[in-house]
C-alpha cells in the first residue's frame, strides 16, 4: 500500500475533522499531494492539493473551510475540515501525482477511501 488514509468519521455540522494520509518518503518527496472526494453517482472531485514546495490550491466549495498541509518529517499529508457542511459528506481519497525526472518515472497513486459523514 503506497498511501494510507485515515481519520474519517461522523462530524456534526459546523464541526471539525482531520484526515491523514501516510506515504512513503520517496512518494512524498516527488509528488504533489491531493485530496479528492466522491459521493455515489457523482464524479470524483479534487478538493485540495499541495505541491512539494507547499503551494496549495482548493476547490471553491471548500475554500476558507478546508486546509491541506504536509509534514515531511512524518511522511504525512493532512486535510483539516472546518465548518463542516452536510454536503461535505463523501468518501475522501488521498492521491499522489508522482514525478521523478531522474529515473524518469511518472505515476498516480491512490489511497483507500475514508468516509466522512456530516450529520446531526
Amino acid at each position: 500500500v503506497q498511501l494510507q488514509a485515515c481519520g474519517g468519521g461522523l462530524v456534526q455540522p459546523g464541526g471539525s475533522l482531520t484526515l491523514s494520509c501516510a506515504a512513503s518518503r520517496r512518494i512524498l518527496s516527488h509528488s504533489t499531494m491531493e485530496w479528492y472526494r466522491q459521493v455515489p453517482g457523482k464524479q470524483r472531485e479534487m478538493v485540495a492539493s499541495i505541491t512539494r514546495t507547499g503551494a496549495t490550491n482548493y476547490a471553491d466549495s471548500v475554500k476558507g473551510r478546508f486546509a491541506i498541509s504536509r509534514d515531511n518529517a512524518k511522511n504525512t499529508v493532512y486535510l483539516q475540515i472546518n465548518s463542516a457542511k452536510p454536503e461535505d459528506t463523501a468518501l475522501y481519497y488521498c492521491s499522489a501525482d508522482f514525478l521523478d525526472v531522474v529515473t524518469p518515472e511518472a505515476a498516480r497513486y491512490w489511497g483507500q477511501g475514508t468516509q466522512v459523514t456530516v450529520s446531526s
Side-chain angles (χ1 to χ4, degrees), residues 43-61:
Q43 281 192 327
R44 191 174 296 186
E45 65 165 342
M46 189 180 74
V47 295
S49 66
I50 185 166
T51 68
R52 290 174 295 170
T53 57
T56 58
N57 189 43
Y58 298 93
D60 288 342
S61 58

Side-chain angles (χ1 to χ4, degrees), residues 12 23 79 96 104:
Q12 291 188 340
L79 183 69

